[in-house]
Each structure stands twice: as structure tokens, then as C-alpha cells.
Amino acid sequence: MNILLTGGMGFIGSHTAIVLLEAGHNVVLYDNLSNSDASVLDRLETITGRRPSFIEGDIRDGIAMQKALANIDVVIHFAGLKAVGESVHKPIEYYDNNVNGTLVLLDAMMKTGVRRLIFSSSSTVYGTPATLPLTEDCPTGEATNPYGRSKLHIEQILADVCRAEPSFSAICLRYFNPIGAHPSGLIGEDPNGIPNNLLPYVARVAHGTLPYLKVFGNDYPTPDGTGVRDFIHVMDLADGHAKAVPYVMNNTGWIAINLGCGRGYSVLEVIHAFEKSSGQKIPYQLVERREGDIAANWCDPSKAQRLLGWSATRTIDDMCHDAWNFESRKE
Ligand code: NAD
Ligand code: UDP
């Protein structure tokens, strides 16, 4: 299969590229490098022995998109901006990159006859869960920030496209909390500046690049009072995309599928797992809740098991071990 990965040089795209290359697919990475680095290509080649094609381009460039789509069977659409806090201050940039970018991509797909799309959605579309675990039937529509709303808008746009164009197939993969890194330690999550997300922050504290972790809130209605999330190893997530490829080829219409482990870990449990994996102490302070955070979320992953034959296999210890392996190799 010829598979185009928009945003394929980023964290999740690059790990997915490994699984697809190792499965024998032809992979084209299309990325404007706004949040990634060209050195990823060398690392992918070292890991897989194959060098994917790379096109430096923006998804909002319709002509370039049409050229990139020649001979493509499936698009996996990772490209977009993803920082929740930043999206509150830069809503126009977020809607332009994420929503407008997807519209330009879809228009180019229509013009080139490509009808198969796998989209990076997020558990954020569920907003504050009324019940747990979250199934795909749980209500959406209460996202609390422009980033989350951009994911919801895109899901709805894809549903409309599938209604209008019966030969179109779109899978919205709703990721829970992807963490970890490829076991080689050559690629992983490496945000610029101070990380917003828990794992990259914890990894830098363990490495000594940041002094201590702030634990946002210990008065949530959870077993230890700290937030609970469904963390999933990025390589499990990558496997989920590979399993979605035959599904998107063989079906038409719109579908949403959760990708998570189906169980939650608290912030304190993650800190302790990371301490065990790294052998490093993680100093932390309990501080106020972070605005916009929910207490807990985890998913019911049974739809992915039923329809894609996929379930997560890596443990929280694997996630912390691989994240530390990546972090500790840095200067
Ligand atoms: P990332 O920032 O590492 O990767 C995104 C890639 O897209 C980057 O390489 C960036 O350079 C590229 N990009 C951004 N805007 C572009 C544009 N206009 N044109 C071309 N390329 C562009 O992020 P990630 O963590 O790999 O996330 C991938 C997708 O998954 C995103 O859509 C994100 O919203 C979604 N997602 C991520 C998480 C998470 O926790 N990482 C959770 C849920 C959903
Ligand atoms: N968190 C924390 N300190 C940090 C970053 C995150 O205590 O420096 C907590 C956060 O409040 C939430 C959990 O860790 O309960 C996961 O946060 P993250 O930003 O990684 O993911 P998301 O909020 O998108 O689920």
C-alpha cells in the first residue's frame, strides 16, 4: 500500500512510519517541520533499514497536496497543532492549521480520487466524562478549548464528507494519552521549551534538566486525589494505525474508534513507575489544579479489538522504561 502521512515527521507519525515500513508499505511523510526535525528521516532509516520518502510542505498548500497524493491509497492525517493552552491564546492559528488544513487536504483528495483517510482525533472530544469507561457512543461536543473544538469540527466535517460521498472512508482514531518512545531510544517525544504534558516533564525532572514536577491538584475524586489518565505506549498506538489500514480500505463511511489501554493511572502512580524504571528520584510538589483539566478518563477499547483486531500490549513500566531510554540518551 502507498500511504501518505501528513505530519509524519512528528511524535506519533514517526512511530507509525516505523510500523508501516516494517510491514512493507511504501510510506510518504508530508510535513512542514513546524514541530519536528529533518533528522527523523535518518533515524527511521537506521531503525527500519528503509528510508521513507519525505515532502516538505504545508497541508494548507492545495497544489502541493495534490502532487503529493499521486498514487496514494490511504492518507493518515496527523498534521496539526496540539498544545491545548496555546490554542486558547491563538485560536485563529489553531483553526487555520487544523480545520482549514484538513479542508484543503480533503479538497485535494477529492480532486485526486483518494478516498481513504485515517484521522488523529483525541479523547478530548468527549469533554468531561459523565461515565467511565468512555465508549465511542458517549456524547461529544463539550470540548473546553479551541484545540479540542478543532478536533470535533474535523470529526463532523469528515462525517459530512462521508454522507455526501458514499465511496469515502474515514476513521477517527480517538487517542487517549500517548507516551513512551521507540525501544531503540532514537525517536521519542521531545517538545520545544518547557513541556506541557506529564511524561516529557517527568522525564526531564528525572534527567535533572528541570528541578521538580508540579502535580496539578490532589483533591480530585480519584483514589489518591491526583488526575487519572489512560496512558498508551506510542508503539501500541502506531500498531493501531497499521491495523486501521485494511479496515479503511475495506469499508466506507465514517467511524470513531478509541485507542487506549482501557485502564487509568494516576499522576502519582506514573511518578512511582518512572522512578522504578529510571532509578532516579522525581521530586514533586502538590499545587493547585490546572485550569480546564478533568479528574479522570479512560476508555473502553473493545471496539478497536472487535473491528481492527487491535489491543494495547505494553505496560506502564514499558512506557516509562522507553521514555527514559529516549530521554537519558540526550546531552
Ligand atoms: P507532533 O507535533 O509531534 O506532530 C505533528 C506534526 O505535524 C509535526 O511534525 C508538525 O511539524 C506537522 N505539522 C503541523 N502543522 C502542519 C501543517 N500545517 N502542514 C504540514 N505539517 C504540519 O504531534 P503528535 O503528538 O505526533 O500528534 C499528531 C496528531 O495526533 C495531532 O493531530 C494531534 O493533535 C493528535 N493527538 C496527539 C495527542 C498527543 O498526546 N500527542 C493526543 C491526541 C491526539
Ligand atoms: N500533570 C501534572 N503536572 C504536569 C503536567 C500534567 O500534574 O506538569 C497532570 C495533569 O493535571 C493531568 C495528567 O497529568 O492530570 C495528564 O496531563 P497531560 O497534560 O499529560 O495530558 P491531558 O491533560 O491532555 O490528559
Side-chain angles (χ1 to χ4, degrees):
M1 217 73 76
N2 294 317
I3 307 178
L4 181 85
L5 275 55
T6 73
M9 300 287 277
F11 173 47
I12 303 171
S14 58
H15 288 79
T16 302
I18 292 173
V19 176
L20 296 174
L21 286 165
E22 286 178 344
H25 295 293
N26 292 320
V27 173
V28 181
L29 308 179
Y30 185 99
D31 203 304
N32 67 1
L33 300 181
S34 60
N35 198 35
S36 48
D37 190 277
S39 67
V40 164
L41 285 175
D42 292 338
R43 292 160 194 246
L44 292 179
E45 190 174 1
T46 305
I47 292 168
T48 67
R50 295 180 63 201
R51 195 173 182 85
S53 310
F54 170 58
I55 300 170
E56 185 171 348
D58 196 295
I59 52 167
R60 292 164 295 179
D61 179 344
I63 303 291
M65 277 292 12
Q66 283 187 50
K67 276 197 202 139
L69 286 164
N71 302 317
I72 292 296
D73 302 301
V74 179
V75 176
I76 310 185
H77 179 31
F78 297 101
L81 302 179
K82 64 165 184 178
V84 171
E86 186 185 59
S87 78
V88 175
H89 303 289
K90 298 181 176 172
I92 299 172
E93 216 175 295
Y94 271 68
Y95 287 120
D96 182 37
N97 254 280
N98 296 4
V99 180
N100 179 38
T102 303
L103 287 173
V104 174
L105 166 66
L106 287 169
D107 182 58
M109 287 176 70
M110 286 303 161
K111 287 179 173 144
T112 50
V114 183
R115 294 283 185 275
R116 304 279 179 256
L117 182 80
I118 298 169
F119 170 60
S120 295
S121 189
S122 165
S123 63
T124 189
V125 300
Y126 294 116
T128 305
T131 53
L132 289 168
L134 287 159
T135 66
E136 292 80 355
D137 302 328
C138 287
T140 59
E142 292 163 35
T144 52
N145 54 72
Y147 167 73
R149 277 189 281 276
S150 78
K151 292 290 175 194
L152 268 173
H153 289 321
I154 296 167
E155 282 206 359
Q156 288 158 356
I157 288 166
L158 292 174
D160 287 337
V161 169
C162 289
R163 269 189 287 270
E165 189 65 48
S167 64
F168 205 92
S169 180
I171 306 183
C172 298
L173 295 177
R174 293 178 176 161
Y175 311 155
F176 279 69
N177 286 60
I179 60 170
H182 187 265
S184 66
L186 289 175
I187 59 166
E189 187 175 17
D190 193 16
N192 293 329
I194 304 221
N196 292 308
N197 295 111
L198 180 63
L199 250 289
Y201 206 110
V202 166
R204 288 188 193 183
V205 173
H207 203 171
T209 2
L210 289 169
Y212 67 94
L213 173 76
K214 288 184 197 148
V215 174
F216 297 138
N218 69 334
D219 56 351
Y220 284 111
T222 59
D224 65 22
T226 65
V228 167
R229 296 290 184 276
D230 187 340
F231 295 98
I232 172 169
H233 196 296
V234 65
M235 290 307 296
D236 275 328
L237 200 67
D239 288 339
H241 290 76
K243 294 270 170 75
V245 168
Y247 187 90
V248 84
M249 288 305 294
N250 296 328
N251 293 275
T252 54
W254 182 96
I255 192 165
I257 299 180
N258 291 334
L259 292 185
C261 288
R263 71 151 288 182
Y265 285 93
S266 74
V267 174
L268 293 182
E269 284 177 308
V270 170
I271 292 173
H272 295 137
F274 207 96
E275 285 183 331
K276 195 172 88 180
S277 295
S278 65
Q280 305 294 314
K281 190 93 197 105
I282 318 275
Y284 67 85
Q285 279 184 14
L286 302 169
V287 301
E288 290 298 291
R289 292 180 180 191
R290 183 171 66 179
E291 207 182 326
D293 270 359
I294 55 172
N297 80 343
W298 65 89
C299 77
D300 174 348
S302 58
K303 191 173 178 186
Q305 168 68 50
R306 202 170 61 250
L307 297 184
L308 308 182
W310 171 91
S311 54
T313 60
R314 285 131 175 127
T315 64
I316 191 78
D317 290 337
D318 298 331
M319 302 178 212
C320 292
H321 175 274
D322 290 337
W324 175 241
N325 183 37
F326 174 69
E327 184 71 25
S328 58
R329 285 161 181 259
K330 288 197 221 153
E331 290 297 299

